[in-house]
Amino acid sequence: MCNTPQDNPLNLCQVPTGASVWVVALEGGHTSRRRLNHLGIHAGDIITVRRNTVFGGPLLISVHHTTVAIGKGLAAKIKVKFVANGLQSQP
Amino acid sequence: MVFKANRNIHPQIVLVGQPNCGKSTIFNTVAGYKSISTNFPGVTVQYTKSHITVDNRVFDLVDLPGTYSLISSDRAEFEAKKYLLNNDIHTIINVIDASILSRSLELSLQLLEFKLPLIICLNMMDEAFRKGISIDSKLLSQILQVPVIETTGIKGTGIGSLFACAAQHINVNRQPLQYSRHVEQVISALARDLSPVVHHNHRLPSRLLAIKLLEKDKFFTSLYPVDAQLKHKIDRHEKKLYKDHGQVAEEVISSDRHSKAMNLFENVATLHHPHKSLRDKVDDILIHPVWGYFFMLGLLFLFFIVIFQFGSIVETPILKMLDAGLLQLGRIFNTQSLTYQIISGMFQGIVGGIAIVLPYLLPFLIGMSLLEDSGYLPRVAFLMDAFMHRIGLHGVAIIPMMLGYGCSVPAVMATRILASQRDRFIVSVISILIPCSARMTIIFGLVGYYLGGAAAFGIYIINLVVIILTGKILSRLMPEDTPGMVLEMPSYKYPAIRVIFAKTRLRMKEFIIIAWPLLIAGSIVLGLAQWYNFDVVLNRVLSPLTLLLGLPVETGTTLIFGLLRKELSMLMLFQALGTQNLSAVMTSVQMFTFTLFVVFYFPCAATFGVLLKEIGWKRALLASCATIVLAMGIALMGRGVGSLF
């Protein structure tokens, strides 16, 4: 896990529960980017994944001191990289 | 001699803020309870207005719908922008949830671009403290050059000084913050080009228009169409931004504003270790992938049981009193006289409200307010997302549906929190099928009371099945990828008794001043109709329907009254059938069939009105008529199945 290829950004769906990542880019159209911007999510921001389950269901993330539920479809459009010391996911 | 019309216009104070920042709570604290506040984002979709008095001066206080930004073209933002540009605003109070200051400041920066008078209200200071954020409001005030007042709206602290400050600072216009040098250069160059366009409009600063045209904000581009020459200039500026930043103008500006807000936040806020509180631990259980669902079902079931138990305990003695009262009336007046018809109609209307509606409505409304204010509803949306995807929607759609159990009107209005138009249509249609509190009183008062709790529960289950099927069918008919869910989970809050009380009173008032008089008048009208034998005509017209469903022909008129208010359908039964003991004149199957029909058929007048507004008259009419067919089908099935028992 520690050797996650740092060069290729992941999308948020691939981030395990407990890990912190920073946003590299927001993909997708106008509308979805704006909806993410509304919640204060821009490139460069740090997101902590509070819950990411294998089953459908949305992700639960913490960003800018709030908790946001975000559908998998939209989460897949958020490209992220692990922050330096957040590489290990919590058990 | 010329008279000048004294239109009595008061200076205006306008509340602007992001969804769920506590604007409505502040509004209600000073203006009395007029706007429904809840603990989930996006509840206020229209603006509410009220007179308030501060230091012996009268002001108009306006509560605008919550908006995350002033960039996009969703309906709440459209309304907010329209209001800000078309009204004489004397002060804006920008309400900020202090616990999410960084994000909220982005809206503040956008508001400053309007160059209107403005003060900032740092609300929910207690919540910020819990999250370990302490804010230097003096420093914030210095940097923005705007007064900043700290409040905790739910406890009422700081509200007095907030409005005193607002009154002091009316008409003190503010200046926007500068963007980073390079972006600012482009904006001010375009603003200079635009100044001839806006010179006649004193409310629209040219710099604001420049930003909005670069952002391609639809509200502004449609309002201020530009000629070819100007278009060329805008394009040139856009290209310049794109060349230097590698992003389209809108993104460049938005990122720049974002980093400005973040810097500002880092300057004025200090972070401590958050207090991990009981609420966080509770939240871990409430949204647990397994226990969360147990809790949710348990809670809803408990809700059902409490209302049913409370209601039936109260209903029995009051119905007995009603019977005794009617006998008494019969002794005083000649039962064959017109006076008796009118007086007994009135009596039934009055007591019917107390006996049948209130015992169920009151506990329901209290429970609903508790659910709303605690912040639990968004958790339900989170838990139900996967399930909702199976009927082609996503989790947020559950919120209007849950509200629908209270009243269809706010449910249909709340569909605005959904991003896609197709979702809004489907959820509006589903919401009108959900038994609102009026229909709930029929389910409990008639089926529950005479046939038992299991039968009442059965109706809810049947309803749920129909709703799921309707949702599935509609989303198959209108295939579209739903844009997916984005929903903020607000912090849990202990519902304030004062607010719960006020909210319940406001919603009860709805029943007492609108439905009850209607009910009394309806009973009298029906009494008169019976006296003149007019009800026979109506019943005959509706007899194909009532006969098909195997109902007493007399129930025909009650269905007509139900179009005004759903409760009337049941309450008029007493008058129409001439007895308080319905079990003597209707069989169990008839009661069950009748209730099923009433639950599903045509929405009441008020709901139909909102539906017209939200989804257009064609679709509203189509959907409403379809409900009649649906109601007939289900009631027939109910009749068939019921007669097996």
Side-chain angles (χ1 to χ4, degrees), chain B residues 243-303:
Chain B
K243 207 180 116 216
D244 297 340
H245 297 263
Q247 283 175 313
V248 292
E250 184 212 335
E251 279 180 68
V252 175
I253 296 175
S254 153
S255 310
D256 203 43
R257 194 187 287 126
H258 180 64
S259 61
K260 197 124 247 154
M262 292 300 137
N263 280 339
L264 199 54
F265 172 72
E266 274 160 25
N267 276 333
V268 301
T270 347
L271 301 181
H272 313 278
H273 202 67
H275 307 254
K276 175 103 181 167
S277 69
L278 184 65
R279 288 183 237 195
D280 300 310
K281 287 178 197 140
V282 168
D283 199 31
D284 288 340
I285 299 170
L286 294 189
I287 55 172
H288 190 271
V290 179
W291 302 121
Y293 293 95
F294 275 105
F295 184 83
M296 183 177 75
L297 290 177
L299 187 74
L300 296 180
F301 192 68
L302 185 77
F303 199 57

Side-chain angles (χ1 to χ4, degrees), chain B residues 507-576:
Chain B
R507 287 174 173 164
M508 283 293 268
K509 211 169 101 188
E510 239 268 309
F511 171 76
I512 291 169
I513 65 169
I514 299 172
W516 211 350
L518 213 59
L519 171 63
I520 297 168
S523 297
I524 297 172
V525 169
L526 187 59
L528 287 173
Q530 281 173 335
W531 179 256
Y532 293 108
N533 281 331
F534 181 66
D535 60 326
V536 181
V537 182
L538 273 180
N539 286 333
R540 195 170 299 146
V541 174
L542 287 171
S543 62
L545 175 70
T546 42
L547 287 177
L548 179 72
L549 298 179
L551 298 172
V553 178
E554 292 83 358
T555 55
T557 36
T558 67
L559 294 176
I560 301 260
F561 280 98
L563 294 178
L564 292 176
R565 293 279 308 192
K566 292 283 180 170
E567 303 97 327
L568 294 185
S569 285
M570 173 184 53
L571 297 170
M572 308 294 281
L573 274 181
F574 300 102
Q575 173 78 0

Side-chain angles (χ1 to χ4, degrees), chain B residues 418-538:
Chain B
L418 296 166
S420 111
Q421 202 182 353
R422 168 249 193 200
D423 288 6
R424 281 202 293 269
F425 171 71
I426 296 178
V427 179
S428 302
V429 174
I430 293 178
S431 306
I432 61 172
L433 295 178
I434 287 175
C436 60
S437 56
R439 283 171 275 179
M440 184 254 326
T441 61
I442 306 182
I443 298 173
F444 283 106
L446 191 66
V447 171
Y449 186 71
Y450 289 106
L451 311 182
F457 195 64
I459 293 214
Y460 275 95
I461 300 293
I462 294 172
N463 180 267
L464 210 58
V465 172
V466 172
I467 283 166
I468 292 170
L469 290 178
T470 312
K472 255 196 139 90
I473 292 169
L474 283 177
S475 48
R476 279 277 166 80
L477 289 176
M478 308 170 77
E480 185 187 298
D481 272 341
T482 72
M485 159 154 145
V486 186
L487 182 69
E488 209 186 320
M489 302 275 123
S491 331
Y492 287 108
K493 297 199 172 69
Y494 293 112
I497 308 282
R498 176 175 60 90
V499 177
I500 298 291
F501 179 73
K503 213 152 137 171
T504 309
R505 204 184 54 190
L506 181 75
R507 287 174 173 164
M508 283 293 268
K509 211 169 101 188
E510 239 268 309
F511 171 76
I512 291 169
I513 65 169
I514 299 172
W516 211 350
L518 213 59
L519 171 63
I520 297 168
S523 297
I524 297 172
V525 169
L526 187 59
L528 287 173
Q530 281 173 335
W531 179 256
Y532 293 108
N533 281 331
F534 181 66
D535 60 326
V536 181
V537 182
L538 273 180

Side-chain angles (χ1 to χ4, degrees), chain A residues 26 30 32-43 45 50-51 53 55-60 63-74 77, chain B residues 68-69 71-72 77 99-100 102-103 106 131 133 215 250-251 254-255 258 262 265 271 283-284 287-289 382 385-386 419 483-489:
Chain A
L26 302 176
H30 249 314
S32 49
R33 190 169 44 74
R34 269 185 186 159
R35 291 175 77 200
L36 294 169
N37 285 170
H38 277 171
L39 293 163
I41 303 173
H42 290 72
D45 288 327
R50 276 187 54 192
R51 161 128 23 118
T53 49
F55 316 110
L59 276 79
L60 211 57
V63 60
H64 301 310
H65 305 281
T66 49
T67 306
V68 177
I70 178 165
K72 286 241 160 104
L74 203 56
K77 292 176 183 162
Chain B
Y68 282 112
S69 75
I71 307 168
S72 82
E77 294 195 12
S99 73
I100 35 177
S102 53
R103 189 189 79 194
E106 287 187 49
K131 285 188 184 168
I133 306 171
E215 283 175 346
E250 184 212 335
E251 279 180 68
S254 153
S255 310
H258 180 64
M262 292 300 137
F265 172 72
L271 301 181
D283 199 31
D284 288 340
I287 55 172
H288 190 271
F382 173 74
D385 188 61
M485 159 154 145
V486 186
L487 182 69
E488 209 186 320
M489 302 275 123

Side-chain angles (χ1 to χ4, degrees), chain B residues 24-64:
Chain B
S24 299
T25 307
I26 291 178
F27 181 88
N28 289 330
T29 308
V30 289
Y33 214 85
K34 283 182 185 154
S35 123
I36 294 281
S37 66
T38 49
N39 190 6
F40 61 76
V43 62
T44 318
V45 276
Q46 282 169 323
Y47 61 84
T48 324
K49 214 172 193 172
S50 175
H51 291 312
I52 56 162
T53 313
V54 184
D55 298 339
N56 298 322
R57 286 176 67 190
V58 182
F59 292 90
D60 273 339
L61 181 64
V62 180
D63 184 15
L64 286 190

Side-chain angles (χ1 to χ4, degrees), chain A:
Chain A
M1 190 80 204
C2 290
N3 295 326
T4 310
Q6 283 286 297
D7 309 330
N8 308 336
L10 305 159
N11 76 50
L12 195 61
C13 290
Q14 298 164 300
V15 178
T17 302
S20 290
V21 289
W22 64 272
V23 179
V24 180
L26 302 176
E27 293 185 342
H30 249 314
T31 335
S32 49
R33 190 169 44 74
R34 269 185 186 159
R35 291 175 77 200
L36 294 169
N37 285 170
H38 277 171
L39 293 163
I41 303 173
H42 290 72
D45 288 327
I46 305 250
I47 292 178
T48 304
V49 175
R50 276 187 54 192
R51 161 128 23 118
N52 185 1
T53 49
V54 260
F55 316 110
L59 276 79
L60 211 57
I61 60 171
S62 289
V63 60
H64 301 310
H65 305 281
T66 49
T67 306
V68 177
I70 178 165
K72 286 241 160 104
L74 203 56
K77 292 176 183 162
I78 307 178
K79 299 293 170 208
V80 295
K81 280 187 180 180
F82 285 106
V83 295
N85 48 7
L87 271 172
Q88 282 111 1
S89 60
Q90 285 165 15

